[in-house]
Amino acid sequence: MNIRRVRAVVVAALVAMALVAMALAPAAASAGTSAGGCRVGAPGVGDPYYPLYGNGGYDVQHYLLKIRYNPATDRLVGVATITARATQSLCRFNLDFQGMTVRSVKVDGRRARWSRSQDHELTVVPQRHLKKGHRFTTVVRYDGVPRTFVDPSAPDVPYGWIHTDDGADVVSEPEGSANWFPLNDHPTDKATFTFVVTVPAGREAIANGRLVARRTHGRWTTWVWNSPELMAPYLATATNGQFNLRRYRTADGLRMYDAVDPDLYNLPIDPQDPASPTYGEIADRSLARQGEIIEFLESQFRVDYPFSTGGGIVDDAENLTFALETQTRPVYPWFFFADPVSGDSVVVHEIAHQWYGNDVALAAWMHMWLNEGFATYAEWLWSGREGLGTPQEIFEFFYNDIPADDPFWDLVIADPGIPNLFHGAVYIRGAMTLQVLRNQVGDRDFFRILRAWAKRRSGGNGTTAQFIALAERISGQQLDALFDAWLFTPGKPTYGAPAATATATATAGQAPPAAASLLRRLAEGASRTRR
Ligand SMILES: [Zn+2]
């Protein structure tokens, strides 16, 4: 072996080692890496807040999630079947998944190699390269105790898979889904879902969409839910436990499923008062208004309710501290139903998210005000209809009540950062921004903007810049100054009340009920400022 040949062999060996190293280092790989004519799927979609969430190289079309959950042991056994289309040639690709034990991974029926990293990346290497445009099926078998997610900046707010005394509340915004199923975890990759959830007989399992089957075999009952409309995967739920499940249709024919924990009918709002209504009764009252609320929001947004089912889930769990707009079936904590105004407000909020947040989802997590500002504004619209304070009155209450030196005004709500993603300012200042826009462009154009945002982006995603561009196009006005002041600049914006609303100042200092309800929800503690 001559020296030149030895060098060539060494170089070839080094190149081979480098390729192997790249193939085994999931997080370090980039979309451009090539090996053998195919490419490596990126480990993230590049969300500025969560760079490793979501993955590149494929587009999920459908998740079939078969789950068996035993609340007595907290253990979950799952088989996830993920149908996706390759958007580039793929030697390998990533899923987001953490905590659970992976037993096997198959791609198109063949066993695939896989590896995991600390940062929730499950890297899958199919036996055969996937061609661009190829529709492929990945089956992941797994089990374990799903971890409840705790955000270090809000340790009192567990989310994701929340174990309860009789089941689990499953509320995964923003990054809890990867604790209970493998997925492409970013709102930009929406998909349809089928849930096959097995729980002990006598318990209920409630997921998104329509209940298509329920079968009991021995000590277990399997609930099959089909969710045929595109959904950002953080909105998936498989909440289970002891619930009174009611099925009915609204006056408009919408198929509804309400699930209320029966314990709430034994929980009086005021234990000292023998005539006190219970939390269950107040929850039922507000849920009974869902059809009316949907009809009202349709009349305001002038876009039909975007999904084929609706309903809500109310649990008595002490560790569920926020409501979440899980698609078609929001999950509510019991304590939001302390009075009818609060109950109705939170139901309006979560139903409004079905248009703004769910059907039109965020393109990146930083745009959260597009979800929370809009849903909060919907509460203000409802308040106006109920004669409990108009949006302008509520706007003025907050504007006059929060002094300029209050830290509330410091947050730049167009880029709040992860620790402040669910800060009260994202909600309140977000809704205030919409009221200022309404005053600037007038009612006609304002509601045209809301309608166009919901209608044109239905099934898709949006950014703050796209919303601003739409508002300017529809109104024909230059709105940079308005949005700069309200969304992009810390500090209290100056605001001159329009003459037409001068009467509103009469209420200054006194919180309109919808504002009081929102403040109460926020005041449940920093922990409960979320959603
Ligand atoms: Zn919300």
Side-chain angles (χ1 to χ4, degrees):
M1 199 183 274
N2 67 40
I3 199 81
R4 187 187 281 172
R5 176 133 166 76
V6 168
R7 252 176 54 202
V9 169
V10 169
V11 168
L14 287 174
V15 167
M17 280 163 64
L19 287 174
V20 169
M22 281 195 292
L24 294 177
S30 75
T33 314
S34 84
C38 57
R39 296 163 69 208
V40 165
V45 294
D47 188 288
Y49 287 6
Y50 302 101
L52 284 182
Y53 271 99
N55 302 285
Y58 63 95
D59 174 28
V60 177
Q61 288 157 351
H62 186 73
Y63 293 90
L64 165 59
L65 303 179
K66 288 190 186 170
I67 284 167
R68 175 186 292 249
Y69 180 62
N70 186 351
T73 59
D74 291 342
R75 281 185 66 78
L76 182 154
V77 179
V79 183
T81 302
I82 304 164
T83 307
R85 196 177 54 80
T87 56
Q88 63 179 58
S89 70
L90 282 173
C91 317
R92 66 171 211 243
F93 61 90
N94 282 18
L95 291 163
D96 301 303
F97 197 37
Q98 63 189 347
M100 311 288 284
T101 302
V102 174
R103 299 295 176 182
S104 70
V105 180
K106 283 186 177 178
V107 176
D108 287 341
R110 294 185 176 83
R111 280 197 175 268
R113 283 194 296 132
W114 52 271
S115 61
R116 301 182 79 178
S117 71
Q118 289 304 307
D119 47 18
H120 69 245
E121 297 295 321
L122 168 62
T123 300
V124 178
V125 186
Q127 280 187 28
R128 296 186 180 177
H129 298 161
L130 304 170
K131 290 201 178 94
K132 181 178 177 180
H134 177 65
R135 210 173 121 110
F136 64 101
T137 302
T138 306
V139 178
V140 182
R141 293 180 178 274
Y142 60 98
D143 54 71
V145 175
R147 202 180 72 170
T148 305
F149 218 98
V150 179
D151 184 335
S153 67
D156 301 338
V157 190
Y159 71 97
W161 189 280
I162 300 177
H163 302 272
T164 65
D165 55 354
D166 56 1
D169 291 328
V170 185
V171 282
S172 297
E173 188 185 29
E175 41 174 0
S177 288
N179 291 298
W180 62 281
F181 67 99
L183 76 157
N184 194 25
D185 197 3
H186 197 267
T188 46
D189 191 1
K190 296 183 176 185
T192 56
F193 283 71
T194 303
F195 302 85
V196 181
V197 186
T198 301
V199 292
R203 308 277 168 91
E204 284 66 37
I206 299 126
N208 315 80
R210 180 175 173 187
L211 179 63
V212 290
R214 180 175 49 180
R215 301 181 285 263
T216 297
H217 290 293
R219 292 164 43 234
W220 298 88
T221 300
T222 299
W223 299 71
V224 183
W225 295 84
N226 190 30
S227 185
E229 292 113 2
L230 290 177
M231 175 162 79
Y234 76 91
L235 295 167
T237 192
T239 293
N240 60 86
Q242 214 95 60
F243 290 101
N244 289 351
L245 178 63
R246 291 187 297 258
R247 301 195 238 183
Y248 60 98
R249 286 181 187 258
T250 63
D252 278 354
L254 185 68
R255 205 183 281 273
M256 303 290 282
Y257 301 87
D258 291 342
V260 179
D261 190 315
D263 291 345
L264 294 174
Y265 300 105
N266 299 318
L267 190 62
I269 310 263
D270 178 1
Q272 310 304 320
D273 175 6
S276 167
T278 64
Y279 283 93
E281 285 163 354
I282 300 291
D284 280 352
R285 258 178 84 150
S286 291
L287 292 176
R289 300 191 76 180
Q290 289 174 108
E292 187 189 350
I293 289 167
I294 288 170
E295 218 175 291
F296 170 73
L297 294 177
E298 285 178 331
S299 78
Q300 298 295 293
F301 307 152
R302 289 187 294 138
V303 178
D304 287 346
Y305 176 78
F307 304 121
S308 56
T309 60
I313 303 168
V314 189
D315 202 358
D316 77 333
E318 282 298 332
N319 48 355
L320 174 68
T321 55
F322 60 90
L324 185 64
E325 62 269 24
T326 33
Q327 192 155 302
T328 68
R329 200 122 320 125
V331 178
Y332 302 94
W334 57 276
F335 58 82
F336 282 174
F337 297 97
D339 67 84
V341 171
S342 289
D344 294 355
S345 281
V346 70
V347 170
V348 168
H349 181 108
E350 305 309 336
I351 291 179
H353 273 311
Q354 306 306 315
W355 285 263
Y356 303 106
N358 296 5
D359 190 34
V360 184
L362 304 176
W365 285 105
M366 66 191 298
H367 306 302
M368 182 57 85
W369 84 276
L370 290 171
N371 284 12
E372 300 307 342
F374 282 55
T376 302
Y377 195 74
E379 292 182 52
W380 298 5
L381 291 168
W382 175 259
S383 162
R385 164 198 143 125
E386 295 281 283
L388 298 171
T390 65
Q392 178 65 20
E393 286 168 340
I394 299 169
F395 168 89
E396 292 193 12
F397 165 73
F398 284 119
Y399 191 84
N400 296 329
D401 202 58
I402 306 174
D405 59 358
D406 192 292
F408 171 90
W409 298 109
D410 294 345
L411 193 68
V412 172
I413 63 165
D415 188 6
I418 295 175
N420 293 315
L421 205 49
F422 301 102
H423 190 285
V426 174
Y427 292 65
I428 296 172
R429 187 168 175 163
M432 293 174 85
T433 303
L434 291 177
Q435 181 61 20
V436 172
L437 174 66
R438 181 175 176 177
N439 288 336
Q440 173 68 35
V441 303
D443 281 6
R444 188 168 164 272
D445 281 353
F446 175 72
F447 286 103
R448 282 175 63 205
I449 293 164
L450 288 192
R451 171 182 152 83
W453 187 247
K455 187 110 186 148
R456 292 185 201 167
R457 296 197 174 271
S458 172
N461 303 77
T463 66
T464 298
Q466 287 164 340
F467 179 73
I468 293 172
L470 178 73
E472 291 190 334
R473 204 158 55 239
I474 287 181
S475 67
Q477 293 189 37
Q478 231 296 331
L479 299 167
D480 279 358
L482 185 157
F483 286 116
D484 277 350
W486 282 89
L487 297 178
F488 295 98
T489 311
K492 186 171 181 173
T494 54
Y495 170 77
T501 61
T503 52
T505 53
T507 63
Q510 207 180 32
S517 143
L518 183 60
L519 286 171
R520 253 199 317 278
R521 273 187 274 145
L522 301 181
E524 293 280 350
S527 64
R528 294 177 181 178
T529 63
R530 300 164 59 106
R531 293 122 183 139

